[in-house]
Amino acid sequence: MLIEAKNLKKVYPGTVPTIALDGTSFVIEEGDFVAIMGPSGSGKSTLMHIMGFLDRATSGKYEFRGKSMEELNDDELARVRNKRIGFVFQSFNLLPRTTVLDNVKLPLVYAGLSSEVETERAEEALKAVGLSHRISHLPNQLSGGEKQRVAIARAIVNNPSVIFADEPTGNLDSKSGQQIMDILQSLNDQGSTVILVTHEKYTSEMAKRIIQLKDGKIVSDKVVDHRRLAKDGLIK
């Protein structure tokens, strides 16, 4: 078991407290590809932030590889996040004045590797997303789809236990979005666990399982019977 959530709740304080998560429980196994769906305000991004060690639940229990998140201090959470988690965001989050290669190297800064090994691993990650020919370019010289592929390369350079993708196709045209989903499906086929946050039904059907949230609660958790193949749009 990779992830287990038990009755997770997240409440943001205020004059009227906002309940973002209201008792969510589920299990995610190694090698799964899970899409988390829901309308705006349903709690899906909050849930991803908690699962990715970017935030803490107000109550409930979150276990990652059998280790309770509540047992870790902030520094320990940061170490786990850097070593075990890869993030892909809708807005790419690339450093604008830094080359593609150096953007991909960023997660390796605290890994204690030699410069040669860092470069080798970053080049391997860029090769995996088909961008070996862009390593010396700056982000403003890339298309939106290429920027997202750089973000995926950065996410996988540390060989993470899980890849979190938050609306990764949201800023892309349909063809580029399909290419991104094809890469995520290929990574999953090679053994990577992928957790996708999306509001698009079509995109969610490229996962193996769909968890639907509404008002901070899980209203549906189903295996995808007829999965879409991103590279050709077909269903299998």
Side-chain angles (χ1 to χ4, degrees), residues 129-191:
V129 299
L131 282 182
S132 295
H133 59 300
R134 292 280 195 256
I135 62 173
S136 299
H137 286 62
L138 295 174
N140 65 6
Q141 297 172 309
L142 306 178
S143 68
E146 287 173 330
K147 289 177 184 177
Q148 196 60 292
R149 282 151 68 188
V150 174
I152 292 175
R154 183 183 57 195
I156 65 174
V157 74
N158 249 347
N159 299 315
S161 300
V162 57
I163 300 166
F164 287 99
D166 190 2
E167 301 280 6
T169 63
N171 283 336
L172 306 178
D173 60 71
S174 57
K175 182 179 179 181
S176 296
Q178 199 161 311
Q179 291 173 339
I180 294 306
M181 291 307 301
D182 182 35
I183 291 171
L184 291 175
Q185 282 187 331
S186 295
L187 290 168
N188 179 243
D189 289 341
Q190 293 163 31

Side-chain angles (χ1 to χ4, degrees), residues 7 15 26 36 48 53 86 123 140 150 183 185 194-195 228 230:
N7 198 30
T15 306
F26 55 88
I36 299 174
M48 190 200 78
F53 305 103
E123 288 175 345
N140 65 6
V150 174
I183 291 171
Q185 282 187 331
V194 180
I195 299 176
R228 291 186 183 275

